[in-house]
């Protein structure tokens, strides 16, 4: 009996010890959940972004296994890349010689200098930025200051052009501005001759504005709606005119958002690829297109050196953007928004100059934004003899009878949706963790800021090549192991790297806006940091997380730059790649039909994620 009692006591003691160990382990995990999650997020980003980018950039600084600046110096001293600045980079200390050259240029009457491929890329990005701001700001004014039926829907749809695949935008512009397209038919109705702007700088700038003006409009609209009406009323009560109050009170509050949108637009259009490739080709090549061309010619060292220069310029510009982004989210105040006025209060109001200007702007919006999308859809339904479904029948026949090496529509749709789901599984938790750590600050904040911003500076082409040469071919590890990620997983990694910065940028303001007293109350009632995060912070910030997830899904479905490299020669092609391959076959009809399918899938995915996420 005594032995049985001892065994029972020993068993009870063992159970108590195990329970205590489990409790301590659970408490330890709860205390360190965020830290562990951060470690996992950093490890994921190291694999899907840092390592691939490093694989390419190393090619630019290694020659025959030794460190060398020769490849980068070769870019900076080649007039083809930097034009008249080549001599300056070749010998920057020859100040006297450069000044004499400057004087000679002035005496010659200030002829327009050449700035090479990089200069042209910056020039077209600057023009695209100006056009995007010029088209986006009036839209922000209308959305922020006026009330009209469908305003909320219109505001939601403003994000759609930004997340559409670039190759699809190019198809829409082909359909809209071709010789027999709707734009030239409209010109013919008012007595003007046909205008051929395809394969010109003008159409590239217009396509970039289509892409980025909505981004400017959304940022400026949010800032305009955040203008505290009390500050304007105070200025007016002190004698300021309406114009003076606008310039002294409203403009300073709008400026950070507008400049942030302009800088982001410059970076995006500086790294542009599919639009220039489709609408300009090598004759209007940008740096990104030339990198792609070098890679296809197996000149990886040249491409890497050019990519380093491109990334350095993008990082410098993004550093300015981060300053304005900090101002946008730094106030933490609750403004009193101004009342919106009816857009059409009466029929007589339609004759006012302000309303006429708004409706003229609406016509421009119809041509630039609605026209290409509508033209693509109409083109997919129109043949030489009128309405037809022949291009959709072509896709069905290709799916049913196409050879194994031919591009089929269903694998493209299936791959796009599967890749988008996998991208969400990686990008959303990673982006949320990075967003939470950025908002809370502390150790590692600088590293997280860099990880959250750097993908915006590194091109998709560079990332795709890095994934191909690094993870796809395999990276040797200590102990004889090898880190290797095959084609499909590499594509998902590329999509996740492109998408998670947008999760961070949508989730961070929402997490930062959570009332800290609620979190502290949960902690004072015994909730651990992890429990308070899961039960209080994330539910309150779910709108930002869902918006980030919608962005991530749409970006994955529309991603082209990396996918076109990683899917080369395989059956892991996506819808944008399928559109590009149909275009490559000079078959605009099937390309527009595939583009319409892509538009439907992208829009449906965006709506489903927002609706499902909106329930929580």
């Amino acid at each position: 009996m005594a032995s049985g009692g001892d065994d029972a006591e020993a068993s009870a003691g063992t159970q108590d010890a195990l329970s205590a160990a489990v409790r301590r382990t659970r408490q330890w995990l709860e205390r360190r959940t965020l830290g562990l999650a951060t470690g996992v997020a950093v490890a994921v980003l190291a694999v899907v972004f840092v390592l691939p980018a490093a694989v390419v950039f190393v090619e630019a600084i290694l020659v025959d296994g030794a460190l060398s600046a020769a490849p980068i110096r070769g870019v900076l001293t080649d007039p083809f890349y930097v034009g008249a600045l080549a001599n300056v980079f070749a010998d920057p200390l020859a100040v006297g010689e450069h000044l004499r050259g400057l004087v000679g240029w002035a005496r010659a009457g200030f002829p327009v200098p050449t700035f090479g491929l990089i200069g042209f890329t910056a020039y077209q990005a600057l023009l695209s930025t100006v056009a995007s701001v010029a088209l986006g700001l009036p839209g922000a004014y209308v959305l922020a200051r006026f009330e009209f039926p469908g305003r909320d829907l219109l505001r939601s749809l403003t994000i759609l052009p930004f997340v559409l695949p670039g190759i699809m935008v190019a198809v829409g512009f082909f359909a809209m501005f071709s010789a027999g397209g709707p734009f030239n038919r409209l010109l013919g109705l008012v007595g003007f001759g046909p205008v051929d702007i395809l394969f010109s700088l003008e159409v590239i700038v217009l396509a970039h504005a289509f892409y980025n003006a909505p981004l400017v409009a959304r940022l400026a609209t949010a800032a305009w709606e955040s203008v505290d009406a009390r500050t304007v009323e105070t200025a007016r009560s002190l004698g300021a005119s309406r114009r003076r109050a606008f310039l002294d009170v409203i403009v300073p509050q709008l400026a950070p958002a507008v400049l942030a949108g302009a800088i982001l637009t410059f970076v995006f259009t500086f790294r542009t690829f599919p639009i220039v490739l489709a609408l300009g080709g090598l004759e209007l090549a940008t740096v990104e297109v030339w990198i792609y061309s070098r890679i296809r010619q197996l000149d990886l060292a040249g491409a890497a050196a050019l990519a380093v220069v491109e990334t350095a310029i993008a990082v410098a510009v993004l550093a300015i953007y981060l300053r304005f982004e900090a101002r946008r989210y730094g106030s933490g105040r609750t403004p009193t928004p101004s009342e919106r006025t009816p857009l059409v209060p009466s029929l007589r109001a339609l004759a006012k100059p302000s309303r006429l200007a708004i409706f003229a702007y609406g016509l421009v919006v119809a041509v630039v934004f609605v026209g290409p999308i509508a033209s693509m859809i109409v083109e997919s339904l129109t043949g030489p003899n009128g309405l037809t479904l022949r291009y959709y029948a072509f896709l069905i026949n290709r799916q049913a009878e196409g050879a194994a090496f031919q591009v089929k529509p269903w694998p493209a749709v299936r791959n796009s949706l599967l890749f988008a789901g996998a991208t969400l599984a990686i990008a959303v938790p990673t982006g949320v963790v990075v967003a939470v750590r950025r908002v809370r600050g502390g150790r590692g904040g600088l590293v997280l800021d860099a990880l959250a911003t750097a993908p915006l500076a590194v091109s998709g082409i560079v990332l795709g090549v890095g994934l191909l040469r690094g993870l796809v071919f395999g990276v040797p590890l200590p102990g004889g192991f090898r880190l290797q990620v095959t084609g499909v997983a590499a594509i998902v990694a590329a999509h996740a790297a492109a998408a998670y910065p947008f999760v961070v940028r949508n989730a961070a303001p929402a997490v930062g806006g959570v009332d800290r007293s609620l979190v502290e109350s949960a902690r004072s009632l015994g909730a651990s940091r992890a429990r308070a995060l899961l039960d209080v912070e994330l539910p309150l910030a779910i709108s930002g997380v869902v918006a980030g997830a919608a962005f991530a899904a749409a970006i994955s479905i529309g991603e082209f730059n990396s996918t076109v490299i990683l899917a080369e020669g395989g059956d892991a092609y996506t819808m944008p790649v399928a559109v590009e391959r149909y275009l490559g076959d000079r078959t605009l009809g099937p390309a527009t039909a595939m583009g319409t399918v892509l538009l439907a899938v992208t829009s449906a995915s965006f709506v489903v994620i927002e609706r499902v996420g909106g329930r929580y």
Side-chain angles (χ1 to χ4, degrees):
M1 293 295 292
S3 175
D6 291 343
D7 290 344
E9 289 180 2
S11 175
T14 303
Q15 288 183 350
D16 291 343
L18 284 174
S19 299
V22 170
R23 187 169 58 252
R24 285 195 299 272
T25 303
R26 188 174 64 186
Q27 292 173 346
W28 185 88
L29 286 174
E30 287 186 348
R31 285 196 302 271
R32 291 166 175 77
T33 295
L34 191 55
L36 292 172
T38 304
V40 172
V42 171
V44 169
L45 296 180
V47 173
V48 303
F49 172 68
V50 177
L51 178 61
V55 166
V56 176
F57 292 154
V58 162
E59 295 282 346
I61 57 173
L62 283 182
V63 176
D64 297 329
L67 284 174
S68 173
I72 297 176
R73 181 180 170 80
V75 170
L76 295 177
T77 57
D78 188 339
F80 173 76
Y81 292 120
V82 296
L85 294 177
N87 290 333
V88 177
F89 288 119
D91 192 1
L93 298 180
V95 178
E97 182 180 342
H98 300 322
L99 288 176
R100 285 193 292 275
L102 201 61
V103 171
W105 172 67
R107 287 176 175 171
F110 301 101
V112 178
T114 59
F115 292 107
L117 179 69
I118 296 175
F120 171 75
T121 304
Y123 174 64
Q124 64 82 26
L126 182 62
L127 292 179
S128 301
T129 302
V130 172
S132 299
V133 172
L135 283 173
L137 271 184
Y141 170 72
V142 173
L143 289 171
R145 299 294 299 132
F146 294 99
E147 191 64 60
F148 51 91
R151 176 190 166 277
D152 292 339
L153 177 63
L154 181 62
R155 179 172 177 171
S156 298
L157 291 178
T158 55
I159 197 60
L160 191 59
F162 181 69
V163 298
L164 289 178
I167 193 68
M168 203 189 77
V169 175
V171 171
F173 271 73
F174 261 115
M176 178 70 182
F177 296 102
S178 61
F183 180 69
N184 277 314
R185 288 204 293 270
L186 284 174
L187 288 180
L189 290 177
V190 293
F192 291 99
V195 176
D196 184 12
I197 61 171
L198 288 179
F199 304 104
S200 68
L201 179 59
E202 289 80 1
V203 77
I204 290 175
V205 170
L206 212 55
H208 284 162
F210 170 92
Y211 225 87
N212 295 285
L215 172 68
V216 175
R218 283 186 74 86
L219 293 175
T221 300
W224 217 315
E225 292 175 338
S226 299
V227 170
D228 196 334
R230 293 170 298 187
T231 59
V232 180
E233 292 169 0
T234 301
R236 295 298 304 277
S237 66
L238 293 174
S241 63
R242 188 183 296 274
R243 178 174 174 275
R244 177 53 59 191
F246 176 79
L247 293 175
D248 292 349
V249 179
I250 296 178
V251 169
Q253 296 185 59
L254 292 181
V258 175
L259 289 173
I263 292 170
L264 274 182
T265 299
F266 182 88
V267 172
F268 291 151
T269 52
F270 187 79
R271 299 192 295 106
T272 184
F273 174 61
I275 288 177
V276 175
L277 185 66
L279 296 177
L282 289 179
E283 292 182 3
L284 294 171
T286 58
V287 172
E288 192 80 349
V289 174
W290 203 253
I291 290 173
Y292 179 67
S293 173
R294 295 291 90 193
I295 289 171
R296 289 184 68 88
Q297 296 178 26
L298 303 181
D299 180 13
L300 187 59
L306 197 53
V308 167
V309 175
E310 178 197 49
T311 303
I313 295 172
V315 166
V317 177
L318 280 173
I320 303 172
Y321 161 76
L322 289 176
R323 291 176 60 87
F324 291 114
E325 186 185 49
R327 291 186 191 179
R328 287 197 302 129
Y329 300 126
S331 65
R333 56 185 169 78
T334 303
T336 301
S338 301
E339 291 286 334
R340 284 189 287 270
T341 58
L343 182 61
V344 187
S346 65
L347 291 178
R348 292 184 60 186
L350 293 175
K352 290 184 177 179
S354 60
R355 298 307 194 271
L356 292 175
I358 290 173
F359 288 116
Y361 172 73
L363 290 176
V364 175
V365 167
V367 171
V368 177
F369 295 96
V370 181
I373 297 299
S375 298
M376 185 189 69
I377 297 173
V378 171
E379 184 73 23
S380 72
L381 295 168
T382 307
N385 299 318
L387 289 176
T388 180
L389 293 174
R390 59 185 293 189
Y391 302 128
Y392 293 93
F394 171 88
L395 295 182
I396 294 173
N397 290 335
R398 174 62 67 86
Q399 179 62 42
E401 302 173 2
F405 64 87
Q406 290 181 315
V407 176
K408 299 180 181 179
W410 169 241
V413 175
R414 179 197 62 203
N415 290 340
S416 293
L417 293 177
L418 289 176
F419 295 165
T423 297
L424 286 178
I426 297 174
V428 172
T430 303
V432 168
V433 169
V434 173
V436 171
R437 293 307 300 254
R438 282 190 72 197
V439 170
R440 292 185 176 180
R443 291 181 299 176
L446 185 61
V447 174
L448 290 173
D449 269 346
L451 286 174
T453 308
L456 300 177
V458 178
S459 76
I461 294 293
V462 170
L463 201 59
V465 172
L467 283 165
L468 187 66
R469 291 180 57 86
L471 296 182
V472 175
F473 292 168
V475 177
L477 298 176
F481 296 100
R482 194 171 187 83
L483 177 61
Q484 190 167 23
V485 179
T486 55
V488 170
I491 292 174
V492 173
H495 289 194
Y500 86 87
F502 292 90
V503 179
V504 176
R505 269 158 178 77
N506 280 279
V511 172
V514 172
D515 190 342
R516 299 303 302 170
S517 64
L518 297 176
V519 180
E520 296 305 323
S521 297
R523 295 295 306 276
S524 66
L525 293 173
S528 63
R529 290 180 63 186
R531 183 56 57 192
L533 173 64
L534 294 174
D535 292 348
V536 179
E537 286 185 87
L538 289 185
L540 292 173
I542 193 65
S543 60
V545 176
V546 170
F551 262 104
I555 286 171
S556 171
I557 292 174
E559 210 288 332
F560 176 76
N561 298 11
S562 300
T563 312
V564 73
I565 293 175
L566 295 170
E568 181 78 32
D571 59 357
Y573 51 83
T574 57
M575 288 187 284
V577 176
V579 172
E580 189 269 342
R581 290 182 182 176
Y582 287 137
L583 274 181
D585 293 337
R586 300 295 179 186
T587 50
L588 182 60
T592 57
M594 193 70 223
T596 303
V597 174
L598 172 56
L599 174 66
V601 173
T602 304
S603 304
S605 303
F606 207 86
V607 171
V608 167
I609 291 175
E610 285 203 322
R611 292 289 176 88
V612 172
R615 296 177 182 175
Y616 300 98

